[in-house]
Amino acid sequence: MAESSDVDQLLTAFKKFAVHGDTKASGNELNGKNWNKLCKDCKITDGKNICSTDVDIVFSKVKQKTSRIITYEEFRRALEELAPKRFKGQSKEEALQSMCSLVEGREPSNVGVTKVAKTAAVDRLTDTSRYTGSHKERFTESGQGKGREGREEIVENTGYVGAYRNAGTYDAKVKAEK
């Protein structure tokens, strides 16, 4: 069978996939979605011998009747069920060993999960140098947003009318006359 270090690596991979995408997961149980992800990421599903339907059927076989998750022991049984089907030319023990080597040390991949849209339409709509009217006032020359000053008219309580040119000169004018 497998050595203890191999079992530890298999358990580590199981726990990493068990907590993937679920902040409340303890890492001791694997749900169906993460079981499918494990099989895809570890290349257990090959499209010929094992497909996603086979993976779902095995998951349903090994889990408890009313449960929606599998434990580590049930996970081991699921690998034992899939191993002869995935590696047809090997004995049951060799197939299980090959199956464990596919899973050991692996972790969930996040490749291609979210991508930033880079199209001409998005570039055109987010180019601040092309903004006109009141929207133009919300950004600096470099395209950086002004924040609250760009969104709201902030009232200055200086006592002068908004566009008055000689604002702040009253005190200097009165002191000069004395």
Side-chain angles (χ1 to χ4, degrees), residues 12-33:
T12 304
F14 172 82
K15 288 186 176 200
K16 285 181 181 178
F17 278 96
V19 298
H20 180 73
D22 188 6
T23 56
K24 297 176 185 168
S26 63
N28 298 326
E29 297 128 355
L30 191 68
N31 61 21
K33 176 183 70 82

mmCIF file of all heavy atoms in Angstrom, residues 12-33:
data_model
loop_
_atom_site.group_PDB
_atom_site.id
_atom_site.type_symbol
_atom_site.label_atom_id
_atom_site.label_comp_id
_atom_site.label_asym_id
_atom_site.label_seq_id
_atom_site.Cartn_x
_atom_site.Cartn_y
_atom_site.Cartn_z
ATOM 1 N N THR A 12 -3.103 15.949 3.071
ATOM 2 C CA THR A 12 -2.895 17.385 2.874
ATOM 3 C C THR A 12 -3.643 17.876 1.638
ATOM 4 O O THR A 12 -4.304 18.917 1.679
ATOM 5 C CB THR A 12 -1.391 17.695 2.729
ATOM 6 O OG1 THR A 12 -0.709 17.200 3.879
ATOM 7 C CG2 THR A 12 -1.148 19.179 2.590
ATOM 8 N N ALA A 13 -3.558 17.124 0.544
ATOM 9 C CA ALA A 13 -4.283 17.494 -0.676
ATOM 10 C C ALA A 13 -5.782 17.470 -0.429
ATOM 11 O O ALA A 13 -6.510 18.369 -0.866
ATOM 12 C CB ALA A 13 -3.919 16.547 -1.812
ATOM 13 N N PHE A 14 -6.257 16.451 0.298
ATOM 14 C CA PHE A 14 -7.687 16.355 0.640
ATOM 15 C C PHE A 14 -8.137 17.587 1.414
ATOM 16 O O PHE A 14 -9.159 18.198 1.099
ATOM 17 C CB PHE A 14 -7.938 15.079 1.460
ATOM 18 C CG PHE A 14 -9.322 14.979 2.020
ATOM 19 C CD1 PHE A 14 -10.374 14.521 1.241
ATOM 20 C CD2 PHE A 14 -9.586 15.345 3.327
ATOM 21 C CE1 PHE A 14 -11.658 14.433 1.759
ATOM 22 C CE2 PHE A 14 -10.859 15.255 3.859
ATOM 23 C CZ PHE A 14 -11.896 14.793 3.070
ATOM 24 N N LYS A 15 -7.354 17.984 2.400
ATOM 25 C CA LYS A 15 -7.728 19.149 3.227
ATOM 26 C C LYS A 15 -7.710 20.446 2.427
ATOM 27 O O LYS A 15 -8.557 21.317 2.613
ATOM 28 C CB LYS A 15 -6.814 19.263 4.441
ATOM 29 C CG LYS A 15 -7.092 18.199 5.471
ATOM 30 C CD LYS A 15 -6.291 18.393 6.724
ATOM 31 C CE LYS A 15 -6.698 17.342 7.741
ATOM 32 N NZ LYS A 15 -6.351 17.678 9.077
ATOM 33 N N LYS A 16 -6.738 20.601 1.528
ATOM 34 C CA LYS A 16 -6.674 21.817 0.712
ATOM 35 C C LYS A 16 -7.895 21.939 -0.194
ATOM 36 O O LYS A 16 -8.451 23.024 -0.349
ATOM 37 C CB LYS A 16 -5.392 21.836 -0.121
ATOM 38 C CG LYS A 16 -4.162 22.170 0.692
ATOM 39 C CD LYS A 16 -2.932 22.200 -0.165
ATOM 40 C CE LYS A 16 -1.712 22.511 0.678
ATOM 41 N NZ LYS A 16 -0.477 22.493 -0.113
ATOM 42 N N PHE A 17 -8.301 20.821 -0.794
ATOM 43 C CA PHE A 17 -9.485 20.863 -1.646
ATOM 44 C C PHE A 17 -10.758 20.993 -0.816
ATOM 45 O O PHE A 17 -11.739 21.569 -1.274
ATOM 46 C CB PHE A 17 -9.568 19.623 -2.534
ATOM 47 C CG PHE A 17 -8.729 19.726 -3.773
ATOM 48 C CD1 PHE A 17 -7.456 19.180 -3.809
ATOM 49 C CD2 PHE A 17 -9.192 20.378 -4.899
ATOM 50 C CE1 PHE A 17 -6.675 19.277 -4.942
ATOM 51 C CE2 PHE A 17 -8.416 20.485 -6.035
ATOM 52 C CZ PHE A 17 -7.157 19.933 -6.060
ATOM 53 N N ALA A 18 -10.757 20.479 0.413
ATOM 54 C CA ALA A 18 -11.945 20.543 1.265
ATOM 55 C C ALA A 18 -12.269 21.966 1.688
ATOM 56 O O ALA A 18 -13.436 22.331 1.804
ATOM 57 C CB ALA A 18 -11.758 19.655 2.491
ATOM 58 N N VAL A 19 -11.259 22.787 1.911
ATOM 59 C CA VAL A 19 -11.511 24.166 2.348
ATOM 60 C C VAL A 19 -11.594 25.145 1.175
ATOM 61 O O VAL A 19 -11.931 26.311 1.385
ATOM 62 C CB VAL A 19 -10.435 24.661 3.354
ATOM 63 C CG1 VAL A 19 -10.443 23.833 4.600
ATOM 64 C CG2 VAL A 19 -9.066 24.686 2.725
ATOM 65 N N HIS A 20 -11.321 24.690 -0.035
ATOM 66 C CA HIS A 20 -11.318 25.588 -1.194
ATOM 67 C C HIS A 20 -12.706 26.168 -1.446
ATOM 68 O O HIS A 20 -13.682 25.446 -1.608
ATOM 69 C CB HIS A 20 -10.843 24.853 -2.443
ATOM 70 C CG HIS A 20 -10.815 25.710 -3.660
ATOM 71 N ND1 HIS A 20 -9.876 26.690 -3.852
ATOM 72 C CD2 HIS A 20 -11.623 25.771 -4.737
ATOM 73 C CE1 HIS A 20 -10.108 27.297 -4.991
ATOM 74 N NE2 HIS A 20 -11.165 26.759 -5.549
ATOM 75 N N GLY A 21 -12.785 27.499 -1.468
ATOM 76 C CA GLY A 21 -14.027 28.187 -1.799
ATOM 77 C C GLY A 21 -15.047 28.256 -0.690
ATOM 78 O O GLY A 21 -16.139 28.762 -0.889
ATOM 79 N N ASP A 22 -14.734 27.742 0.499
ATOM 80 C CA ASP A 22 -15.687 27.760 1.601
ATOM 81 C C ASP A 22 -14.971 28.245 2.852
ATOM 82 O O ASP A 22 -14.119 27.552 3.396
ATOM 83 C CB ASP A 22 -16.267 26.361 1.823
ATOM 84 C CG ASP A 22 -17.397 26.344 2.831
ATOM 85 O OD1 ASP A 22 -17.812 27.426 3.285
ATOM 86 O OD2 ASP A 22 -17.884 25.244 3.156
ATOM 87 N N THR A 23 -15.329 29.438 3.311
ATOM 88 C CA THR A 23 -14.650 30.013 4.472
ATOM 89 C C THR A 23 -15.035 29.313 5.766
ATOM 90 O O THR A 23 -14.291 29.372 6.736
ATOM 91 C CB THR A 23 -14.985 31.510 4.602
ATOM 92 O OG1 THR A 23 -16.406 31.659 4.670
ATOM 93 C CG2 THR A 23 -14.460 32.289 3.420
ATOM 94 N N LYS A 24 -16.170 28.622 5.779
ATOM 95 C CA LYS A 24 -16.632 27.959 6.999
ATOM 96 C C LYS A 24 -16.197 26.497 7.078
ATOM 97 O O LYS A 24 -16.497 25.823 8.052
ATOM 98 C CB LYS A 24 -18.152 28.042 7.081
ATOM 99 C CG LYS A 24 -18.658 29.465 7.192
ATOM 100 C CD LYS A 24 -20.156 29.517 7.162
ATOM 101 C CE LYS A 24 -20.615 30.960 7.148
ATOM 102 N NZ LYS A 24 -22.023 31.094 6.842
ATOM 103 N N ALA A 25 -15.531 25.990 6.058
ATOM 104 C CA ALA A 25 -15.141 24.582 6.015
ATOM 105 C C ALA A 25 -14.040 24.277 7.028
ATOM 106 O O ALA A 25 -13.137 25.078 7.244
ATOM 107 C CB ALA A 25 -14.680 24.204 4.621
ATOM 108 N N SER A 26 -14.143 23.091 7.637
ATOM 109 C CA SER A 26 -13.148 22.679 8.627
ATOM 110 C C SER A 26 -11.965 21.962 7.983
ATOM 111 O O SER A 26 -10.910 21.843 8.581
ATOM 112 C CB SER A 26 -13.809 21.762 9.666
ATOM 113 O OG SER A 26 -14.270 20.580 9.032
ATOM 114 N N GLY A 27 -12.151 21.437 6.780
ATOM 115 C CA GLY A 27 -11.085 20.697 6.111
ATOM 116 C C GLY A 27 -11.170 19.203 6.338
ATOM 117 O O GLY A 27 -10.328 18.451 5.871
ATOM 118 N N ASN A 28 -12.196 18.751 7.075
ATOM 119 C CA ASN A 28 -12.353 17.327 7.346
ATOM 120 C C ASN A 28 -13.364 16.656 6.424
ATOM 121 O O ASN A 28 -13.447 15.434 6.399
ATOM 122 C CB ASN A 28 -12.794 17.113 8.797
ATOM 123 C CG ASN A 28 -11.755 17.635 9.764
ATOM 124 O OD1 ASN A 28 -10.561 17.569 9.486
ATOM 125 N ND2 ASN A 28 -12.203 18.164 10.881
ATOM 126 N N GLU A 29 -14.132 17.451 5.675
ATOM 127 C CA GLU A 29 -15.147 16.901 4.781
ATOM 128 C C GLU A 29 -15.041 17.570 3.426
ATOM 129 O O GLU A 29 -14.733 18.743 3.322
ATOM 130 C CB GLU A 29 -16.555 17.152 5.343
ATOM 131 C CG GLU A 29 -16.793 16.466 6.660
ATOM 132 C CD GLU A 29 -17.320 17.447 7.697
ATOM 133 O OE1 GLU A 29 -17.404 18.646 7.400
ATOM 134 O OE2 GLU A 29 -17.609 16.991 8.805
ATOM 135 N N LEU A 30 -15.331 16.810 2.390
ATOM 136 C CA LEU A 30 -15.238 17.285 1.015
ATOM 137 C C LEU A 30 -16.632 17.247 0.397
ATOM 138 O O LEU A 30 -17.295 16.205 0.439
ATOM 139 C CB LEU A 30 -14.285 16.368 0.234
ATOM 140 C CG LEU A 30 -13.813 16.786 -1.143
ATOM 141 C CD1 LEU A 30 -12.887 17.992 -1.038
ATOM 142 C CD2 LEU A 30 -13.077 15.651 -1.807
ATOM 143 N N ASN A 31 -17.085 18.378 -0.156
ATOM 144 C CA ASN A 31 -18.402 18.371 -0.794
ATOM 145 C C ASN A 31 -18.275 17.960 -2.258
ATOM 146 O O ASN A 31 -17.178 17.803 -2.791
ATOM 147 C CB ASN A 31 -19.099 19.729 -0.635
ATOM 148 C CG ASN A 31 -18.338 20.860 -1.272
ATOM 149 O OD1 ASN A 31 -17.502 20.656 -2.142
ATOM 150 N ND2 ASN A 31 -18.617 22.065 -0.833
ATOM 151 N N GLY A 32 -19.405 17.788 -2.919
ATOM 152 C CA GLY A 32 -19.416 17.290 -4.297
ATOM 153 C C GLY A 32 -18.734 18.223 -5.279
ATOM 154 O O GLY A 32 -18.044 17.778 -6.199
ATOM 155 N N LYS A 33 -18.915 19.520 -5.098
ATOM 156 C CA LYS A 33 -18.298 20.495 -5.996
ATOM 157 C C LYS A 33 -16.771 20.413 -5.905
ATOM 158 O O LYS A 33 -16.079 20.389 -6.921
ATOM 159 C CB LYS A 33 -18.771 21.901 -5.614
ATOM 160 C CG LYS A 33 -18.123 23.017 -6.403
ATOM 161 C CD LYS A 33 -18.573 24.376 -5.932
ATOM 162 C CE LYS A 33 -18.043 24.740 -4.591
ATOM 163 N NZ LYS A 33 -16.703 25.273 -4.543
#
